[in-house]
Amino acid sequence: ETGVTQTPRHLVMGMTNKKSLKCEQHLGHNAMYWYKQSAKKPLELMFVYSLEERVENNSVPSRFSPECPNSSHLFLHLHTLQPEDSALYLCASSQDWGSGRANEQFFGPGTRLTVL
Amino acid sequence: AQTVTQSQPEMSVQEAETVTLSCTYDTSESDYYLFWYKQPPSRQMILVIRQEAYKQQNATENRFSVNFQKAAKSFSLKISDSQLGDAAMYFCAYRSGVSGSARQLTFGSGTQLTVLP
């Protein structure tokens, strides 16, 4: 595997389900990101992890819970979602030099989530 | 807060012709980075080109080039000799160069490019 991978590619869940999205990067990067892409809207940054520490959380509802066990893996745990949470969820990674000079982000293919 | 505006939701170009996608941004910072990303129907977001704000020279990557006008806060993408594989959604993105806030990318709403055979 190369680059950034995401599983599953498609997910359909009910509002009472609990599921998790997985992201893995094979680029040796130390920062990882979750984005939400809804139709007709710009990409929205959800969470940023740098060196496995969450550094940004853009007012995301608590029904989304990220986890970063190591620099190569990032999870997004989903619980009691709403139909409006249906979207494409994109993971990205970059090399963060820590002084504000992070390199460009490389994206995974995304998980298409549908909440019924 | 920074904003990125792409005023062309859709564009089309004839194969082998040239097309320019526009992007404007609003910021009070002097140190930042600008990017164009491409998202084809496969949904994999791919970096097309980047520009550092401190560089006056416009970035170029093969058939892709930018027209960076810092004073006007404009960052357009020119695609020369358009190919069918260029058909995709194109996103303009901004990233601050200020320490402590540099990780976040702010995206525009995208321009859907169609390439006509």
Side-chain angles (χ1 to χ4, degrees), chain B residues 51-68:
Chain B
Q51 174 81 43
E52 290 86 350
Y54 62 85
K55 289 186 177 179
Q56 292 187 341
Q57 187 173 8
N58 289 326
T60 299
E61 287 286 342
N62 300 313
R63 298 182 294 107
F64 298 87
S65 61
V66 299
N67 183 5
F68 174 48

Side-chain angles (χ1 to χ4, degrees), chain A residues 56 99-102, chain B residues 2 27-35 53 93-106:
Chain A
E56 290 195 37
S99 61
R101 300 294 174 182
Chain B
Q2 295 80 26
T27 184
S28 59
E29 299 172 340
S30 58
D31 184 17
Y32 52 87
Y33 302 81
L34 296 164
F35 305 87
Y94 171 102
R95 196 188 78 220
S96 170
V98 174
S99 179
S101 64
R103 301 175 184 94
Q104 180 165 348
L105 278 175
T106 301

